[in-house]
Amino acid sequence: MQKYYEEEFKKKIVRLHLEEGRTIKSLAEEYSVSKAAISIWIKAYREECQTNHELKEEYDYMKENLRLRKELEELKKENQFLKKAAAFFAREID
């Protein structure tokens, strides 16, 4: 038996994957959707972006947003490390 999903629901799942970097597995578990269905929706969205200029811009925006989120997270980790290193060396000097 095939289950029907609204277009808005599909778009939401695709956005969570592309924009926030959520894994297909985590989305499948959280929303009780098969991994295959999510993969198909993502593939269909990417294919549609090839012909629809507005969707292509939205897709590029989501990819850039994800890249910036990852970069921000990495910089936060580096900043935390540097703070700990500075505190360590400050104790050594005293």
Side-chain angles (χ1 to χ4, degrees):
M1 184 173 137
Q2 212 172 19
K3 193 169 181 180
Y4 176 77
Y5 296 99
E6 297 287 330
E7 284 301 314
E8 284 301 313
F9 178 76
K10 292 177 185 180
K11 287 180 184 179
K12 176 182 176 181
I13 299 295
V14 170
R15 284 176 193 242
L16 288 171
H17 174 71
L18 296 176
E19 192 169 353
E20 296 184 13
R22 300 274 309 272
T23 64
I24 292 174
K25 181 180 179 183
S26 71
L27 291 168
E29 290 172 357
E30 182 176 341
Y31 292 96
S32 301
V33 179
S34 73
K35 292 185 282 187
I38 295 173
S39 294
I40 290 169
W41 299 342
I42 293 168
K43 181 181 178 187
Y45 180 79
R46 287 183 174 148
E47 288 173 356
E48 191 174 350
C49 287
Q50 300 303 315
T51 58
N52 186 328
H53 182 68
E54 289 178 18
L55 280 181
K56 174 69 172 144
E57 287 180 4
E58 184 179 301
Y59 177 70
D60 291 341
Y61 169 79
M62 286 190 282
K63 282 182 15 184
E64 178 68 7
N65 193 13
L66 178 60
R67 185 190 68 75
L68 291 172
R69 285 175 190 252
K70 287 181 179 180
E71 185 178 327
L72 177 63
E73 190 61 35
E74 184 64 30
L75 291 172
K76 283 181 180 179
K77 288 178 185 176
E78 289 175 11
N79 196 23
Q80 283 297 107
F81 174 78
L82 292 173
K83 284 180 183 178
K84 289 178 183 178
F88 173 78
F89 288 117
R91 281 190 299 251
E92 289 290 317
I93 293 173
D94 292 336

